[in-house]
């Protein structure tokens, strides 16, 4: 390699985090650039691909100013980011419309029609569900958030775009093409279309599932591994980024795979929690796992299809931001010094955009329960923090029932919300669990950089490199026995009322 540094970019919902990582896995510089998310009624959630690329250009320009020799020292670049997006491009890779992000739910009715029918279990026609389960270890979600529903929504509502589309790409896929001119996708993105066979030894696009979904398999790009070298930068991309054109772009991964690597928790059954706009509980397993009743499963990761369990919850930081907004607080400082929790504090259901785990129901909506005249803004903020923590407890209880989970060990916590000390202590008390906070805001960047370890000569493979990150803890939180007892009592009462609240949305 001509350089000794890796540039890693983590494309999230609100912006891109770009960092420079050295051979000791030190994040020596980092920049965040934002880009818009366009929301509208009816489940509309879009982003403009060119705005993501422009944010990357701005971020790397800022890194050049911080590290004047970055051009000479950069040896590889890696992208990770949000999955379940759909970008329709022509044969040159030009986007034909904005990206339907993971949050877009306009295809919900189409997805229900696709998977439904008689006889059914939990909304899935039995024969379809069993075939999807056997081949893909899951099926398109009924909430319309999977790429399958988005592609079919375009097919029904924008047929001219569908017909002109040469490739259906995820966010990372388009950015890789923009940088190298090569069309690819990762195993995570492929799996989440539910058109991929994920059985061991049979991994790849499935003609059977393609036919079931009604999506042409020839419009789906080649699947590559996260440690593969895709190509060097194109001359134009290198010029825009201020880098040498011989910089190698490495395959990359989803944000969940990158975050898992970034925690260093790469043993089978080891879990971590990510708390950002949404939340997830994730960890590697030696073989496929699935929980039909609680709507989570393993998917094939970019590490040679190694199964990665992902249990995603719709609302975390987004719910806290909403409560901060309605109570005229700043989300960074508004959830501190909110007074002592009271036994009659209201309960908060953070389902502001539906929920996925441990119930998959797009109709659920958030609510405060048990409001009284004496409750003030502080009580609402306390309830919001507790509500997000209780929702995580609810999901974690189900994930820990999975065979092979290592439950008797501290949990690593990452993501922007993990940087909030008051919330993280509350979460420790709520889970009655020791929590270790890693590089809260930049775990994905570190994990993405690890994918370049083999290319850079830092390690034999990404996992052997990632274990060096384990134990790089920035803070440790221990549950307080009295507070844990208080939260346990609150959790018991919440469990009794949660079912009734969910049933009230059942027929909407």
């Amino acid at each position: 390699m001509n350089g000794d540094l890796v540039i890693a970019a983590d494309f999230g919902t609100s912006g891109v985090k770009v960092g420079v990582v050295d051979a000791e896995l030190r994040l020596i510089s980092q920049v965040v650039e934002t880009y818009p998310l366009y929301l509208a009624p009816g489940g509309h959630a879009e982003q403009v691909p060119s705005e993501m690329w422009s944010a990357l250009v701005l971020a790397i320009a800022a890194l050049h100013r911080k590290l004047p020799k970055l051009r000479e020292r950069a040896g590889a670049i890696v992208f990770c980011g949000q999955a379940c997006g759909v970008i329709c491009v022509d044969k040159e890779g030009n986007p034909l419309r904005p990206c339907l992000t993971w949050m877009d739910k306009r295809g919900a009715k189409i997805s229900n029609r696709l998977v439904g029918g008689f006889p059914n279990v939990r909304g899935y026609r039995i024969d379809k569900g069993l075939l999807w389960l056997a081949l893909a270890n899951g099926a398109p979600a009924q909430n319309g958030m999977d790429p399958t529903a988005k592609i079919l929504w375009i097919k029904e509502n924008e047929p001219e775009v569908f017909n002109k589309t040469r490739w259906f790409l995820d966010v990372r896929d388009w950015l890789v093409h923009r940088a190298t001119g090569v069309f690819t996708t990762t195993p995570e993105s492929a799996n989440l279309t539910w058109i991929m066979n994920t059985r061991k030894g049979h991994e790849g696009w499935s003609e059977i599932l393609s036919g079931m979904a009604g999506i042409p398999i020839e419009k789906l790009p080649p699947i590559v591994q996260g440690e593969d070298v895709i190509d060097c930068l194109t001359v134009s991309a290198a010029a825009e980024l201020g880098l040498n054109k011989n910089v190698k772009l490495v395959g990359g991964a989803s944000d969940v795979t990158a975050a898992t690597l970034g925690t260093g928790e790469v043993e089978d059954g080891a879990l971590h929690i990510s708390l950002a706009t949404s939340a997830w509980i994730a960890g590697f397993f030696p073989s496929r796992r699935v929980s039909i009743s609680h709507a989570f499963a393993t998917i094939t990761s970019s590490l040679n299809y190694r199964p990665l369990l992902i249990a995603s919850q719709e609302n975390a930081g987004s719910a806290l931001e909403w409560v901060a907004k309605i109570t005229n607080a700043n989300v960074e400082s508004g959830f501190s010094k909110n007074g002592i929790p009271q036994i009659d504090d209201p309960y908060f259901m953070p389902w502001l955009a539906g929920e996925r785990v441990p119930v998959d129901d797009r109709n659920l909506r958030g609510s405060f329960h048990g409001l009284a005249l004496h409750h003030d803004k502080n009580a609402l903020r306390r309830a919001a923090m507790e509500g997000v923590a209780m929702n995580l407890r609810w999901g974690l209880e189900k994930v820990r029932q999975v065979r092979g989970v290592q439950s008797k060990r501290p949990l690593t916590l990452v993501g922007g919300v993990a940087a909030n000390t008051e919330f993280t202590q509350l979460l420790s008390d709520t889970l009655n669990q020791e929590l270790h906070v890693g590089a809260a805001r930049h775990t994905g960047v570190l994990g993405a950089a690890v994918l370049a370890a083999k290319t850079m000569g830092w390690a034999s493979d990404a996992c052997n490199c990632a274990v060096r990150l384990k134990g790089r803890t920035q803070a440790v939180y221990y549950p307080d026995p009295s507070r844990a007892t208080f939260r346990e009592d609150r959790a018991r009462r919440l469990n009794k009322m949660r079912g009734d609240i969910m049933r009230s949305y059942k027929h909407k």
Side-chain angles (χ1 to χ4, degrees):
M1 295 297 300
N2 293 324
D4 64 318
L5 301 177
V6 171
I7 298 173
D10 180 3
F11 290 86
T13 306
S14 57
V16 60
K17 302 179 182 74
V18 187
V20 179
V21 180
D22 67 10
E24 301 302 316
L25 303 185
R26 293 176 300 189
L27 186 61
I28 61 177
S29 189
Q30 66 274 336
V31 174
V32 178
E33 287 288 342
T34 62
Y35 38 73
L37 171 65
Y38 301 99
L39 301 173
H44 176 121
E46 295 184 344
Q47 290 180 309
V48 177
S50 62
E51 292 178 343
M52 296 181 180
W53 178 260
S54 296
L56 176 68
V57 172
L58 289 172
I60 294 183
L63 290 172
H64 280 298
R65 293 191 291 272
K66 293 183 176 186
L67 302 170
K69 294 186 178 181
L70 181 60
R71 178 182 175 87
E72 292 74 28
R73 296 185 64 188
I77 186 167
V78 192
F79 299 151
C80 72
Q82 53 174 298
C84 291
V86 171
I87 302 176
C88 304
V89 302
D90 61 20
K91 62 182 180 179
E92 283 81 33
N94 300 307
L96 300 173
R97 69 174 322 286
C99 170
L100 278 72
T101 74
W102 65 272
M103 296 175 67
D104 197 291
K105 298 179 180 177
R106 281 174 284 181
K109 291 182 179 179
I110 295 172
S111 189
N112 277 265
R113 193 166 68 239
L114 172 66
V115 303
F118 181 82
N120 73 76
V121 176
R122 297 180 183 273
Y124 290 87
R125 202 176 83 185
I126 292 175
D127 59 337
K128 289 183 179 180
L130 289 175
L131 183 55
W132 252 308
L133 193 61
L135 297 183
N137 202 44
Q142 297 174 53
N143 58 21
M145 296 177 72
D146 291 339
T148 325
K150 296 179 174 70
I151 293 171
L152 294 177
W153 183 89
I154 292 168
K155 186 178 183 179
E156 289 193 13
N157 293 274
E158 300 176 359
E160 69 288 350
V161 172
F162 184 89
N163 292 331
K164 289 179 182 177
T165 297
R166 175 62 187 90
W167 302 106
F168 291 111
L169 303 178
D170 206 339
V171 170
R172 167 256 167 225
D173 306 345
W174 183 81
L175 290 160
V176 166
H177 173 266
R178 183 67 177 77
T180 65
V182 181
F183 294 104
T184 61
T185 193
T186 64
E188 300 98 335
S189 293
N191 193 162
L192 291 168
T193 66
W194 306 110
I195 302 174
M196 179 186 175
N197 188 334
T198 69
R199 293 178 300 159
K200 189 172 183 179
H202 300 274
E203 295 93 346
W205 295 118
S206 166
E207 292 280 2
I208 294 173
L209 297 179
S210 171
M212 283 178 60
I215 296 173
I217 201 168
E218 64 271 14
K219 291 179 182 281
L220 305 173
I223 302 169
V224 299
Q225 298 300 319
E227 297 177 90
D228 290 349
V229 173
I230 304 302
D231 207 337
C232 293
L233 297 174
T234 64
V235 173
S236 60
E240 286 184 87
L241 299 174
L243 299 172
N244 289 320
K245 61 182 176 63
N246 61 351
V247 170
K248 292 180 170 61
L249 192 142
V250 178
S254 70
D255 49 3
V256 185
T257 299
T260 306
L261 289 170
T263 66
E265 298 286 355
V266 294
E267 298 175 41
D268 286 334
L271 301 177
H272 76 273
I273 294 175
S274 175
L275 279 165
T277 301
S278 58
W280 71 62
I281 304 162
F284 290 117
F285 282 80
S287 57
R288 300 193 311 184
R289 302 286 191 272
V290 63
S291 174
I292 297 172
S293 57
H294 300 304
F296 64 82
T298 55
I299 65 169
T300 54
S301 76
S302 292
L303 298 170
N304 295 317
Y305 304 118
R306 186 181 180 189
L308 176 63
L309 185 143
I310 306 175
S312 297
Q313 294 190 317
E314 198 71 56
N315 310 276
S318 57
L320 297 179
E321 288 176 358
W322 178 80
V323 173
K325 181 179 179 180
I326 66 169
T327 59
N328 298 316
N330 181 288
V331 73
E332 296 293 333
S333 59
F335 290 94
S336 61
K337 299 179 181 178
N338 283 317
I340 300 172
Q342 303 297 317
I343 194 65
D344 71 338
D345 272 350
Y347 290 88
F348 178 61
M349 314 300 159
W351 308 322
L352 301 178
E355 190 50 282
R356 283 189 280 176
V357 169
V359 294
D360 181 11
D361 191 340
R362 63 189 174 90
N363 291 318
L364 289 180
R365 286 296 177 266
S367 63
F368 286 100
H369 184 85
L371 287 171
L373 289 173
H374 66 274
H375 288 138
D376 56 11
K377 293 178 181 179
N378 286 335
L380 297 184
R381 294 174 195 145
R382 292 196 301 268
M385 287 199 298
E386 182 193 63
V388 172
M390 289 289 187
N391 213 46
L392 270 168
R393 173 184 167 130
W394 186 34
L396 185 61
E397 287 173 348
K398 309 307 180 186
V399 172
R400 280 183 163 159
Q401 297 172 10
V402 171
R403 175 170 51 91
V405 168
Q406 297 188 35
S407 57
K408 295 181 180 180
R409 58 186 292 165
L411 273 173
T412 297
L413 191 65
V414 299
V417 179
N420 184 306
T421 57
E422 184 163 340
F423 175 82
T424 307
Q425 182 59 60
L426 185 152
L427 182 61
S428 177
D429 297 335
T430 302
L431 301 179
N432 198 15
Q433 171 76 55
E434 181 181 334
L435 299 178
H436 291 189
V437 177
R441 298 183 185 278
H442 299 286
T443 308
V445 170
L446 287 170
V450 162
L451 289 167
K454 184 176 179 180
T455 298
M456 297 294 292
W458 295 350
S460 59
D461 59 53
C463 285
N464 282 326
C465 186
V467 294
R468 292 156 50 190
L469 291 168
K470 186 176 180 178
R472 291 194 186 180
T473 302
Q474 297 183 352
V476 178
Y477 295 82
Y478 300 97
D480 176 272
S482 62
R483 292 195 298 261
T485 299
F486 173 80
R487 297 298 176 189
E488 179 68 31
D489 182 62
R490 297 265 300 171
R492 280 196 298 269
R493 286 189 280 168
L494 175 60
N495 287 340
K496 292 178 181 179
M497 67 180 73
R498 188 186 279 126
D500 290 336
I501 293 171
M502 290 192 296
R503 280 188 288 274
S504 71
Y505 289 98
K506 195 66 176 176
H507 302 294
K508 288 189 177 182

